[in-house]
Amino acid sequence: MNSPLLTAPGAVAPFDGNPDQGVPWHFGDPFAEQRSAVRSAVVVDRSNRAVLAVSGDDRLTWLHSLTSQHFEALGEDRATEMLILDVQGRVEHHAAAANVGGAVYLDTGSERAGDLLGYLTKMVFWSKVEVRDASADLALLTVLGPEAAGVLAAVGVTAPDAPHGVVALEGGGFARRASWPGGHAVDLLVPRAELADRWGRLTGAGARPAGSWAFEALRVESLRPRLGVDTDEKTIPHEANWIDEAVHLNKGCYRGQETVSKVHNVGRPPRRLLLLHLDGSREVQPETGDPVLVDDRVVGRVGTVALHHELGTVALALVKRSVPPETELLVGAEDRRVQAAVDPDSVPPDTPGLGRQAARNLGR
């Protein structure tokens, strides 16, 4: 569904093929929007994400049995992330989750929401749960930047203090403390009918309007993957920095858990998610799904390509672990191939369960 904010002053719609259809791409100056997100506060329309609601007495134990996350330990007014894996441990679904008001709300990319809803509905059996599509009821706005808490306070919203905290909003919806991008992000799940009004109140309180361009660039900087863009059908959680955030290593008995445990305890993932600095001198740039090459040998795939206000042209890429970080790379199909270098700070330590501490610290 298209957001009403596409008609807001200065809003520019995304180009065809952009994964963030239906919400503003930018508001005239995407680099200034990124700088404001780092220095003050911005609000981003992310209402193109789907929202599913899981209610019922068994909702936490049921989700615990199906997903990579320890939902039995998820308290009221707490948020987390979760994955659903196939039997080989490959990622099929990713969602952010919040346990609030007697339901667990899952927000996820709209392109896979139907499949996720179908899978969850199929797995209900005799459990006391109800799964429904709540996308028509709730829409997502993200406020980020060091002045985010002040902006929210000005519109009567108390930002959750604790990491992964959740606060119910007066009039419906909730605020969820997010761990990225940056250290001050708050997701607002607001009544969809009030989306434009809530946006107007936030911008009136000092938050600069920002589009998906700015948000995606900051996500790339934070080394946070987007399912189906930065991952492929073979991706396992260890490759994509989802250990700890979306995978609880001290639980079992869910589909794909054997692979997670094996890679964590005795092996290393075959690939790793890296930040690449691309040669930005050419007019064309690689696209999602393009190859990463060393001497004409394919060693990886390109995910999100972004223009960052400080880093220039950058991309996330899944690259074989055997490729030394100092290797000179070529990225892209033949007609848009450019040179690339690995950001050394994006290289995770060899122990998969530790993840990249520096990346995690960006959001905490």
Side-chain angles (χ1 to χ4, degrees):
M1 58 186 74
N2 287 334
S3 169
L5 300 175
L6 283 170
T7 61
V12 175
F15 58 87
D16 289 343
N18 185 294
D20 280 309
Q21 297 298 313
V23 295
W25 187 33
H26 63 82
F27 289 84
D29 193 341
F31 293 130
E33 294 166 24
Q34 292 178 48
R35 289 192 290 269
S36 294
V38 174
R39 300 170 185 172
S40 53
V42 302
V43 56
V44 182
D45 179 8
R46 302 178 64 208
S47 62
N48 56 337
R49 284 180 68 80
V51 182
L52 308 182
V54 181
S55 57
D57 293 343
D58 295 341
R59 66 187 185 279
L60 295 179
T61 55
W62 181 72
L63 285 168
H64 183 88
S65 69
L66 296 177
T67 75
S68 62
Q69 192 52 263
H70 200 310
F71 274 96
E72 290 182 345
L74 186 67
E76 182 73 13
D77 297 332
R78 298 290 296 168
T80 188
E81 297 180 31
M82 52 152 264
L83 303 174
I84 290 178
L85 311 178
D86 69 10
V87 293
Q88 282 80 37
R90 298 171 297 199
V91 180
E92 290 190 341
H93 297 286
H94 170 265
N99 183 29
V100 56
V104 175
Y105 293 93
L106 309 174
D107 62 273
T108 189
S110 58
E111 65 280 359
R112 299 202 181 191
D115 290 340
L116 176 57
L117 177 61
Y119 172 75
L120 293 176
T121 302
K122 182 178 67 176
M123 299 302 293
V124 170
F125 299 115
W126 300 281
S127 298
K128 296 179 181 179
V129 295
E130 179 183 350
V131 186
R132 67 181 181 90
D133 188 345
S135 302
D137 302 328
L138 294 171
L140 175 60
L141 298 173
T142 296
V143 182
L144 54 137
E147 297 177 8
V151 168
L152 292 170
V155 298
V157 175
T158 301
D161 290 331
H164 307 296
V166 177
V167 174
L169 298 178
E170 184 177 353
F174 57 89
R176 176 183 65 207
R177 184 67 177 269
S179 59
W180 61 273
H184 309 278
V186 177
D187 292 332
L188 302 178
L189 275 293
V190 303
R192 188 170 289 274
E194 300 177 12
L195 178 65
D197 177 67
R198 300 289 184 112
W199 174 273
R201 291 168 61 189
L202 290 164
T203 56
R208 178 174 186 151
S212 60
W213 177 335
F215 185 87
E216 289 293 280
L218 297 173
R219 176 181 66 78
V220 169
E221 180 189 16
S222 299
L223 287 175
R224 299 296 303 192
R226 181 170 180 167
L227 187 67
V229 178
D230 303 303
T231 66
D232 58 18
E233 69 282 357
K234 298 183 292 184
T235 302
I236 61 174
H238 304 77
E239 296 177 325
N241 294 335
W242 270 321
I243 299 299
D244 294 338
E245 283 290 344
V247 177
H248 197 288
L249 292 170
N250 293 325
K251 64 160 283 191
C253 300
Y254 62 93
R255 191 174 68 178
Q257 183 268 339
E258 184 176 346
T259 296
V260 171
S261 179
K262 180 178 179 180
V263 174
H264 174 66
N265 292 318
V266 301
R268 297 176 180 177
R271 299 177 296 179
R272 47 193 178 189
L273 188 71
L274 301 176
L275 178 66
L276 305 184
H277 295 271
L278 307 184
D279 178 1
S281 62
R282 294 191 61 188
E283 293 184 1
V284 295
Q285 290 296 330
E287 297 177 358
T288 298
D290 279 353
V292 178
L293 303 108
V294 176
D295 298 328
D296 294 326
R297 177 172 56 93
V298 176
V299 297
R301 75 176 292 277
V302 177
T304 305
V305 179
L307 294 177
H308 190 275
H309 70 109
E310 288 184 339
L311 302 177
T313 307
V314 291
L316 291 178
L318 282 172
V319 180
K320 289 183 178 179
R321 174 176 286 275
S322 59
V323 177
E326 65 275 11
T327 304
E328 294 184 4
L329 304 173
L330 289 176
V331 177
E334 289 187 6
D335 58 343
R336 50 179 180 265
R337 189 164 294 172
V338 300
Q339 292 182 318
V342 174
D343 186 319
D345 288 336
S346 73
V347 180
D350 285 339
T351 304
L354 294 179
R356 174 179 177 251
Q357 188 64 45
R360 295 204 300 271
N361 287 341
L362 285 173
R364 292 163 175 75

